Amino acid sequence: MSAPDTPPALPPTTAAIRIAARRDRVTAWMLQGATTKAAQQGPHQTEVEKTHSWWRVMCLTGVDYFSTLGYQPAIAALAAGLLSPVATIVLVLVTLFGALPVYRRVANDSFRGAGSIAMLEKLLPWWAGKLLVLVLLGFAVTDFMITITLSAADATAHIAENPFTPHWFTDIPVPLTLALIALLGVVFLRGFREAIGIAVGLVAVYLTLNVVVVFVAFVHVFQRPSVASDWWTGLTTQHANPLVMIGIALVVFPKLALGLSGFETGVSVMPQVTGDPSDEHTERPEGRIRGTRRLLTTAAIIMSSFLILSSIVTTFLIPQREFQPGGQANGRALAYLAHEYLGGVFGSIYDFSTVAILWFAGASAMAGLLNLVPRFLPRYGMAPQWARAVRPLVIIFTLIAFAITIIFRADVDAQGGAYATGVLVLISSASVAVTLSARRRRQRKRMIAFGFVTVVFFYTTVANVIERPDGVRIAAIFIIAIVVVSLVSRVRRSFELRASSIELDAVARQFVEADADQFSTICIISNEPGSGTAESYREKGRVERRNAGIPARVPTMFLEVLPADSSDFEEDLVVEGVVTSGFRVLRVRSGNVPNTIASTLLAIRDLTGVVPGIYFEWTEGSPIRNMLRFLFTGGGEVAPVTREVLREAEADVTRRPAVHVS
């Protein structure tokens, strides 16, 4: 019985056409700025970036840094009591003479926005370096993601603590925090320009209001000199020995480490800083480096000034009991002074500005994530190509922030340990990176100075981990998730073309163009690099002609892939043509043999217009072992993998280079 006739295909309806067009527009909008592929050949990054003045970018990174004024004075008073000003001075000294010099050096050495992680990546070759980067990325993601969720939760807490807030607001902290995070995501779906514009306005208003609060508080201190003498009397009664005071200040320093946030973000968003016009034509953008160093220094000086002044007035004017849990100044010392001395209206305005900058503090972290993650994972093959586009990442990071908020029920204290751990690990790793950089350059004095800073931050990190081990546990979850997802992605992308660019030198071009012009065919024999003797090439060619049936009149050339770092995923390939013992040989250095052969064949096809053919011998050994060799060393069963890469890259069989195996 014959099969029933297939009904003719109906033309698409107008509605279907509109839906398809709308879907295409949404896809194009989502992937705007993502990597494209050119001429069927490997991933090519398109970097067209709108840059901004250093002070505007400082506001974007500063919404996180400056927003700590909303809670840092209260944390210092709670941790150090009457010693709060002394402990804050210790924090400022570490900031100005420790963290700031470290990150000025990071900006100088890692100016493409990859930060200290890129500096450390170069220290370890092969997969060890990649694993180190994944671990540090785990801590960076911990820092940045918890910044988003903790700041939004703290903003919600400030809303609830305002005396004019309706009571029912205190019953919905999780939905309110989720709404703030969603709003932040919407801003970044619009773009960096909108985010920076909002940041500039928020920072200007918030710092101005803080100047007013601190100034009025100092007026009250001068009008009541007794508060200073009472403070001194109480301090010397508790701690008569100045050395004991300094010792206690050093002990409580790890609890104040939240005041060091913002430095890693400052260097990760370097590509957003406008440099000199000459930067576009040089390998080293000196203008962008100067702008970033100016950004870091200005932010550190502004914040240090506010921290010292605010710690003095809050310690002098606020009773110590108010800093305790349940007290009116707990987590909001400057807001307490704003209400106390400037009235409910101004206090509410100050609260609103604090809520706004705490909400937008996540913008600094989001900017860091969007600049940092795409610089590593797609290049390692550990994330899909669309991970270079901003908007899909914004959606993913926003959803992760939703999950964290729900898990921790928008509790600020529950997330504080992870936040501090992420900040301190990144600063410690940056200190190690600049210390090793100074050692490599034989700068002994700088090496010793940075080494001392490294010891300080390692002590701070260890002390924080001992006191709040939950931070390491949360960071470990992020690290495991990143490693697992990265390895799965690497396996899934195994059959992609990996050449970021490929170039045939003059001799190689001459080889392939001559065969294409004279014989209209290009026959290439795959050969493992070996002794390079005439006899070895002669024997290899004789065996392939006999087994594969290559006609005697057709000339052949050899293709050899010289070994390189197989952990690299994307590579810039240069194919060199050489004549060895009278035989024509194409040589290219790469850590991934099948993918590189496929890229070379496609490049030859596009150059000459002739579809080449390549001849292999079967590889001996277990298929499973060969598969693992391919994944981790770039070798293994080369012939079938090369064919699969070509099949994935070129759907048209007539334009696909032929793979012959004998």
Side-chain angles (χ1 to χ4, degrees):
M1 180 182 294
S2 60
D5 294 336
T6 303
L10 297 175
T13 64
T14 303
I17 294 174
R18 288 177 178 174
I19 292 173
R22 191 179 301 115
R23 186 184 301 116
D24 291 342
R25 286 196 299 270
V26 171
T27 301
W29 179 78
M30 287 290 292
L31 298 181
Q32 184 178 357
T35 298
T36 59
K37 287 190 176 182
Q40 299 292 331
Q41 193 61 61
H44 293 257
Q45 177 85 31
T46 302
E47 296 186 359
V48 181
E49 301 175 43
K50 169 66 176 174
T51 58
H52 309 269
S53 302
W54 67 266
W55 61 270
R56 292 176 64 87
V57 181
M58 182 194 73
C59 291
L60 179 60
T61 62
V63 287
D64 174 27
Y65 195 23
F66 299 143
S67 70
T68 57
L69 286 171
Y71 50 82
Q72 183 73 17
I75 291 176
L78 185 62
L82 296 177
L83 266 175
S84 174
V86 179
T88 302
I89 290 174
V90 172
L91 172 65
V92 167
L93 291 176
V94 173
T95 298
L96 296 179
F97 299 101
L100 178 59
V102 163
Y103 278 97
R104 282 173 60 90
R105 185 59 178 265
V106 172
N108 187 72
D109 290 0
S110 182
F111 43 79
R112 300 190 185 280
S116 59
I117 296 178
M119 296 175 66
L120 291 171
E121 176 190 19
K122 300 174 183 177
L123 300 177
L124 294 175
W126 205 54
W127 285 99
K130 304 298 186 293
L131 184 60
L132 174 64
V133 168
L134 292 180
V135 171
L136 291 177
L137 277 179
F139 282 107
V141 171
T142 302
D143 176 16
F144 294 151
M145 288 303 309
I146 298 296
T147 296
I148 295 172
T149 58
L150 182 145
S151 298
D154 202 17
T156 300
H158 275 71
I159 293 174
E161 290 163 356
N162 184 279
F164 298 102
T165 300
H167 291 295
W168 60 270
F169 261 76
T170 62
D171 299 329
I172 56 169
V174 173
L176 188 55
T177 303
L178 293 177
L180 292 176
I181 293 172
L183 183 59
L184 178 69
V186 170
V187 171
F188 273 89
L189 287 176
R190 293 278 299 172
F192 268 95
R193 183 176 63 182
E194 289 76 8
I196 289 179
I198 295 173
V200 170
L202 289 178
V203 167
V205 171
Y206 185 66
L207 293 184
T208 300
L209 292 176
N210 274 283
V211 168
V212 173
V213 173
V214 172
F215 176 78
V216 170
F218 265 103
V219 169
H220 281 271
V221 170
F222 291 136
Q223 290 175 347
R224 297 160 50 196
S226 60
V227 296
S229 59
D230 291 344
W231 169 76
W232 181 253
T233 300
L235 181 62
T236 53
T237 300
Q238 291 180 1
H239 314 288
N241 191 332
L243 294 179
V244 174
M245 295 183 190
I246 296 174
I248 295 175
L250 292 174
V251 170
V252 302
F253 169 71
K255 298 181 180 180
L256 312 184
L258 295 181
L260 294 171
S261 64
F263 282 103
E264 188 71 30
T265 311
V267 293
S268 68
V269 297
M270 279 188 71
Q272 298 294 324
V273 178
T274 300
D276 296 336
S278 59
D279 285 356
E280 299 179 3
H281 309 290
T282 60
E283 181 67 22
R284 181 180 175 80
E286 295 291 347
R288 179 169 294 176
I289 293 172
R290 283 197 308 273
T292 303
R293 289 160 68 98
R294 194 176 296 129
L295 177 160
L296 295 170
T297 303
T298 304
I301 292 174
I302 291 174
M303 189 62 182
S304 297
S305 302
F306 272 112
L307 285 175
I308 292 176
L309 296 175
S310 62
S311 70
I312 292 173
V313 295
T314 53
T315 305
F316 284 9
L317 297 175
I318 301 177
Q320 287 295 305
R321 65 178 181 276
E322 296 295 347
F323 293 113
Q324 302 302 315
Q328 296 184 39
N330 180 250
R332 54 192 306 272
L334 288 175
Y336 176 94
L337 293 179
H339 282 274
E340 182 73 16
Y341 295 115
L342 291 163
V345 174
F346 183 90
S348 295
I349 294 173
Y350 183 85
D351 283 341
F352 179 80
S353 70
T354 304
V355 168
I357 199 167
L358 281 171
W359 156 66
F360 211 63
S364 174
M366 184 71 80
L369 286 168
L370 295 176
N371 278 283
L372 193 63
V373 171
R375 295 185 182 278
F376 290 102
L377 295 186
R379 179 162 58 88
Y380 292 173
M382 294 178 174
Q385 287 292 347
W386 55 256
R388 283 193 170 105
V390 169
R391 292 185 176 108
L393 288 181
V394 170
I395 294 174
I396 290 174
F397 294 144
T398 301
L399 293 176
I400 294 174
F402 281 177
I404 294 172
T405 298
I406 294 171
I407 291 171
F408 289 100
R409 302 189 61 79
D411 188 333
V412 175
D413 293 333
Q415 302 174 67
Y419 179 46
T421 299
V423 170
L424 291 173
V425 168
L426 290 181
I427 295 180
S428 298
S429 65
S431 302
V432 172
V434 298
T435 301
L436 295 176
S437 174
R439 181 176 181 271
R440 193 164 52 247
R441 298 179 182 183
R442 302 182 186 278
Q443 298 171 334
R444 190 168 182 274
K445 291 183 179 179
R446 288 188 177 183
M447 183 187 71
I448 293 174
F450 286 133
F452 176 75
V453 173
T454 301
V455 171
V456 171
F457 283 122
F458 263 94
Y459 152 73
T460 307
T461 304
V462 171
N464 177 77
V465 169
I466 292 174
E467 182 177 354
R468 307 191 70 173
D470 56 307
V472 173
R473 289 194 288 267
I474 295 171
I477 294 173
F478 279 105
I479 292 171
I480 293 172
I482 287 177
V483 170
V484 171
V485 171
S486 297
L487 293 179
V488 170
S489 176
R490 177 88 179 209
V491 172
R492 288 177 59 88
R493 296 185 62 189
S494 295
F495 299 122
E496 288 185 10
L497 294 171
R498 303 183 184 184
S500 302
S501 64
I502 184 166
E503 177 185 354
L504 276 68
D505 71 2
V507 178
R509 293 171 67 95
Q510 180 183 356
F511 288 167
V512 297
E513 288 175 346
D515 285 6
D517 292 340
Q518 296 178 27
F519 300 96
S520 298
T521 185
I522 300 175
C523 291
I524 300 173
I525 297 174
S526 175
N527 187 49
E528 291 189 17
S531 61
T533 62
E535 181 58 31
S536 64
Y537 285 118
R538 187 178 298 109
E539 177 63 17
K540 179 76 171 181
R542 185 183 65 80
V543 170
E544 287 298 338
R545 283 188 183 276
R546 182 192 64 202
N547 294 341
I550 303 175
R553 66 176 184 83
V554 176
T556 61
M557 66 187 78
F558 295 91
L559 174 60
E560 298 177 347
V561 180
L562 306 179
D565 187 351
S566 60
S567 65
D568 288 336
F569 191 83
E570 297 180 3
E571 300 172 294
D572 295 314
L573 302 179
V574 177
V575 182
E576 299 177 344
V578 296
V579 177
T580 301
S581 302
F583 294 91
R584 299 179 303 168
V585 182
L586 302 177
R587 287 177 178 162
V588 55
R589 187 170 297 278
S590 170
N592 301 281
V593 178
N595 309 73
T596 298
I597 292 175
S599 293
T600 303
L601 295 175
L602 292 173
I604 292 173
R605 180 205 65 184
D606 295 338
L607 174 66
T608 63
V610 174
V611 179
I614 189 164
Y615 296 83
F616 294 93
E617 289 181 348
W618 286 112
T619 304
E620 297 294 331
S622 165
I624 296 178
R625 184 166 61 86
N626 284 331
M627 179 187 68
L628 294 176
R629 283 183 58 201
F630 166 64
L631 292 175
F632 293 102
T633 68
E637 189 64 80
V638 177
V641 176
T642 300
R643 183 186 182 282
E644 182 61 22
V645 173
L646 288 169
R647 191 183 68 83
E648 293 275 348
E650 178 56 75
D652 187 349
V653 178
T654 62
R655 287 179 47 80
R656 186 188 305 159
V659 175
H660 307 272
V661 189
S662 59

